[in-house]
Amino acid sequence: MLKKVLACAVLVALSGCSDNTSSSATTNTQVKDQKAQSVTYPETKKGEVVDVYFDQKVADPYRWLEDDMSSDTADWVKTQNNLTFSYLENIPYRDKLKASLEKLMNYEKVTAPFIEGDYTYFYKNDGLQNQYVLYRSKGESDAEVFLDPNKFSEDGTTSMSGLTFSEDGSLAAYQISEGGSDWRKVIIINTQTKEQIESALIDVKFSGISWVGNDGFYYSSYNKPKGSELSAKTDQHKVYYHKLGTAQTADELIFGGTDNEKHRYIGASVTRDNKYLVISASVSTSGNKLFIKDLTKPDSKLVTILGHTDSDTYVFDNDGSKLYLVTNLNAPNKKVVTVDAANPTPENWQDLIPETDNVLSMSKGGDFFFAKYMVDAISKVKQFDKAGKLVREISLPGVGTARGFGGKKESSTLYYSFANYTTPGNTYSFDVNTGQSDVYRKSGAKFDSAQYTSEQVFYTSKDGTKVPMIISYKKDVKLDGTNPTILYGYGGFNASLTPSFSSTVAAWLEQGGVYAVANIRGGGEYGKQWHDAGTQLKKQNVFDDFIAAAEYLNEKKYTSSDYLAVRGGSNGGLLVGAVMTQRPELFKVALPAVGVLDMLRYHTFTAGAGWAYDYGTSEQSKEMFDYLHGYSPVHNVKAGVKYPATMITTGDHDDRVVPAHSYKFAAELQAKGAGANPYFIRIETNAGHGAGTPTSKIIDQYADIYGFTLYNMGIKSL
């Protein structure tokens, strides 16, 4: 659950909603009676496994579902999917929702251009293509297809990521994921002929690709685990150097091979002048050690910049031996410092761009630095020269999120995108010398922003903390407590939820729905302190913040508990699982996606032990075990309790948050949950944690999610 990856993975929304709610109470009862008569859950067998934690016995009757290689688990998945889909197929407006999603997603999407060698490249999706296609042009010539991932597999489930070009652009290496797995293959091609030049590298995971000139590149991976590659533990990351023209078995091990160098996540990058190799090593998703090696001296050793994991620090740029670092060491909101590579330890650091009250992230281009600040989750961007002098504050098109401002050192024109929940993402060009912004490409989304509003509110959590939330809806929506509403959250891993545009959110808003995003603790919206306030023995703050958001929406009549759905993915799936078991009466529908739901065993799968900074582990101490056991969703489903109508979603190839979390939670709900509300699990086959999911699957998934949600709010027709 690497932060970047996490951070992205999982923002979702709803589509399609009826505004015919005048007889909602009667309609709701009728629908519930129908469901109570029709849903019969298959019996999930129980085993006899009992674990002992600090002298306390904890039964784990569904441990057998952790075996993703067994025929019993495969049969269970098939049976559960049959049940779920037979229910979904009877929702009368399922096809209408699918058509609505297709219409709203069917517009041409084109990314900002970038230059490599003699070519200008850009990604484009014609509308409903499963994967974006990479195009290129030379000079004034027409664009041609360079790589089309839609041809990698018949069903679109093989995706491309991590494309990196060699120094002169004559070679490129890209990663492919099959079935959504985090295990990747690396394909190396000649960019002139587009032909693969050697055998693919295999078994690469959580890795960048960083070239040294045109000769080879650094990458990271784990030893392939024994047993299931989708669930077995992986905890010793290693950095290798691959020299072109040699076999992968001959790749040089650079770092991570010894006990002293053992870390769960290791990244390697080469400075743009090919002078230095920089290695970042982490035991968890927060905090890293940092090392540097002079590549101009063949026998040089790794030099330690930071030998502890008390901060998140990385080398951002360099001018010769002068290093520019971004760090939150003694600066929770981050700052930029400089140091000479010969003596790079913190006592020699000099502030270049000091810490402020707002969280900082950096980009570079045109020989300038761009400081992007979050002010209550909203973007503010400043341009600095490399001496740290402010050049200008950049005027953005509105209130929302700006992404980009990156490019090569010699570029005079950079690009950025701007969007919010009700404004489709336009791409802008930016002149680094004049500060002039112009629309480069206007979004083709078929959405009239003028009809909608997004407002930011600040509500009070249980302990008095003020928490921001952005609420979006159609301007003519009446705040009378009857509006179908989706409340989304994440609350972990220093990940920030900033305003963005989604066609699926647009579909929900078009039907009169309310969409609310709460910037709860555990995220990174207010820096390291905000993150730490939602970790380990403070994790309940995250759940309290989210519960308070729901109560605010009810109190202010945006919605009511009969029309409130709660959704989150990955760590956000844990969030949903926790609040629905703690306050089941507060929500009508719960939608935990690819969630971390067994908090006693999460660290035993794949790279899960790396999440301990946020969660702690059940083996850490009795206090930590008791705390985790007290909120772990799998362990807090109580017999005889009426839980919200629940549809758990996961992928059978998810090797980041293994699907066993979701399987166990579904089994517990079906065995113990009371009342007429349904408790289903929808398992996408040949799919992983979310990245690279083909468009066709996204449309199907959300037609089902939205249909389930609206149907269980008592809405009979659209």
Side-chain angles (χ1 to χ4, degrees), residues 8-17 84-85 88 91 93-105 486-489 502-508 511 515 565-570 573 589-595 647-651 682-684 687-711 718:
C8 346
V10 289
L11 284 177
V12 291
L14 296 186
S15 168
C17 170
T84 300
F85 284 107
L88 294 171
I91 294 175
Y93 38 78
R94 185 189 190 204
D95 289 342
K96 187 173 183 179
L97 286 168
K98 183 175 178 179
S100 175
L101 284 160
E102 287 179 344
K103 179 181 177 182
L104 282 156
M105 296 181 76
I486 179 74
L487 172 61
Y488 183 85
S502 165
S503 295
T504 54
V505 174
W508 177 249
Q511 296 295 331
Y515 182 70
V566 61
R567 180 157 175 79
S570 195
V589 177
L591 302 165
V594 294
M647 187 162 74
I648 304 160
T649 52
T650 189
R682 185 189 188 281
I683 305 153
E684 191 71 58
H689 199 59
T693 303
T695 300
S696 58
K697 283 185 179 287
I698 292 172
I699 290 170
D700 289 343
Q701 287 169 6
Y702 290 111
D704 288 345
I705 291 167
Y706 308 160
F708 178 86
T709 299
L710 296 169
Y711 190 62
L718 297 180

Side-chain angles (χ1 to χ4, degrees), residues 454-715:
S454 268
E455 57 183 1
Q456 186 174 58
V457 301
F458 291 83
Y459 63 90
T460 304
S461 190
K462 183 178 180 179
D463 65 355
T465 299
K466 294 292 184 182
V467 182
M469 175 166 57
I470 297 179
I471 310 169
S472 304
Y473 53 93
K474 208 168 188 176
K475 290 179 178 177
D476 60 3
V477 164
K478 295 180 180 179
L479 303 184
D480 59 3
T482 65
N483 300 303
T485 297
I486 179 74
L487 172 61
Y488 183 85
Y490 188 76
F493 295 88
N494 201 39
S496 302
L497 301 185
T498 58
S500 61
F501 182 82
S502 165
S503 295
T504 54
V505 174
W508 177 249
L509 298 176
E510 279 191 347
Q511 296 295 331
V514 175
Y515 182 70
V517 178
N519 297 107
I520 56 183
R521 281 174 285 184
E525 289 86 350
Y526 295 104
K528 187 171 177 58
Q529 293 174 347
W530 192 252
H531 173 209
D532 287 348
T535 60
Q536 297 202 27
L537 297 174
K538 299 178 182 178
K539 189 67 177 176
Q540 185 61 40
N541 287 337
V542 179
F543 311 141
D544 289 342
D545 288 356
F546 209 47
I547 288 168
E551 292 173 335
Y552 179 93
L553 292 169
N554 288 348
E555 177 190 346
K556 300 298 183 182
K557 302 295 185 182
Y558 289 94
T559 190
S560 62
S561 292
D562 283 339
Y563 298 98
L564 180 57
V566 61
R567 180 157 175 79
S570 195
N571 174 73
L574 163 62
L575 173 67
V576 173
V579 300
M580 68 175 279
T581 51
Q582 292 182 10
R583 292 289 303 277
E585 82 290 349
L586 191 55
F587 313 103
K588 185 63 181 176
V589 177
L591 302 165
V594 294
V596 187
L597 298 162
D598 183 344
M599 298 309 297
L600 301 187
R601 287 182 54 76
Y602 78 86
H603 59 292
T604 65
F605 306 111
T606 62
W611 312 337
Y613 183 94
D614 267 59
Y615 299 147
T617 72
S618 56
E619 300 163 355
Q620 183 175 319
S621 67
K622 185 179 187 305
E623 183 184 27
M624 195 71 247
F625 159 72
D626 288 339
Y627 196 85
L628 290 167
H629 192 232
Y631 76 77
S632 175
V634 164
H635 300 91
N636 281 278
V637 178
K638 309 298 184 185
V641 175
K642 179 183 176 182
Y643 292 102
T646 302
M647 187 162 74
I648 304 160
T649 52
T650 189
D652 68 345
H653 278 59
D654 190 343
D655 50 359
R656 194 168 316 165
V657 180
V658 297
H661 286 276
S662 295
Y663 297 170
K664 287 182 173 184
F665 192 49
E668 291 284 353
L669 284 171
Q670 291 177 1
K672 297 177 179 176
N677 287 338
Y679 310 118
F680 292 136
I681 183 169
R682 185 189 188 281
I683 305 153
E684 191 71 58
T685 56
N686 203 29
H689 199 59
T693 303
T695 300
S696 58
K697 283 185 179 287
I698 292 172
I699 290 170
D700 289 343
Q701 287 169 6
Y702 290 111
D704 288 345
I705 291 167
Y706 308 160
F708 178 86
T709 299
L710 296 169
Y711 190 62
N712 282 282
M713 288 177 176
I715 295 168

Side-chain angles (χ1 to χ4, degrees), residues 356 358-361 370-384 390 392-396 398-403 405 418:
T356 71
N358 304 116
V359 181
L360 170 70
S361 62
F370 295 86
K372 293 173 279 189
Y373 296 96
M374 273 190 297
V375 182
D376 298 326
I378 304 301
S379 290
K380 182 177 182 179
V381 184
K382 294 182 178 181
Q383 181 180 356
F384 290 87
L390 177 65
R392 61 178 60 89
E393 182 173 335
I394 297 168
S395 178
L396 298 176
V399 177
T401 303
R403 294 187 173 93
F405 296 102
F418 177 84

Side-chain angles (χ1 to χ4, degrees), residues 241-381:
Y241 175 71
H242 176 71
K243 182 174 177 58
L244 295 187
T246 64
Q248 185 178 4
T249 53
D251 288 352
E252 181 184 0
L253 176 61
I254 303 298
F255 187 85
T258 67
D259 288 342
N260 287 337
E261 294 177 350
K262 183 177 179 180
H263 295 81
R264 291 191 180 93
Y265 311 113
I266 305 176
S269 61
V270 177
T271 56
R272 59 185 175 185
D273 59 3
N274 290 310
K275 183 174 176 61
Y276 296 106
L277 168 68
V278 180
I279 290 179
S280 173
S282 307
V283 294
S284 189
T285 49
S286 290
N288 67 287
K289 300 174 186 176
L290 198 62
F291 309 92
I292 192 167
K293 175 182 171 66
D294 189 340
L295 295 177
T296 66
K297 301 175 181 178
D299 298 325
S300 65
K301 304 296 184 183
L302 280 174
V303 174
T304 300
I305 298 177
L306 280 172
H308 58 74
T309 59
D310 296 341
S311 71
D312 299 288
T313 302
Y314 64 95
V315 175
F316 169 65
D317 199 4
N318 75 298
D319 279 325
S321 65
K322 184 179 183 179
L323 306 179
Y324 299 87
L325 293 86
V326 179
T327 184
N328 62 7
L329 184 65
N330 301 318
N333 290 333
K334 295 187 179 179
K335 63 181 179 179
V336 179
V337 300
T338 61
V339 71
D340 192 277
N343 296 287
T345 49
E347 63 269 18
N348 300 308
W349 294 358
Q350 298 291 322
D351 285 4
L352 183 78
I353 301 176
E355 182 190 21
T356 71
D357 291 336
N358 304 116
V359 181
L360 170 70
S361 62
M362 295 295 298
S363 63
K364 61 188 177 185
D367 212 25
F368 289 96
F369 291 160
F370 295 86
K372 293 173 279 189
Y373 296 96
M374 273 190 297
V375 182
D376 298 326
I378 304 301
S379 290
K380 182 177 182 179
V381 184

Side-chain angles (χ1 to χ4, degrees), residues 145-168:
V145 173
F146 181 63
L147 285 171
D148 185 357
N150 295 292
K151 296 181 178 179
F152 291 174
S153 62
E154 290 186 6
D155 60 0
T157 59
T158 300
S159 60
M160 179 178 74
S161 65
L163 172 70
T164 309
F165 290 83
S166 65
E167 184 176 24
D168 66 4

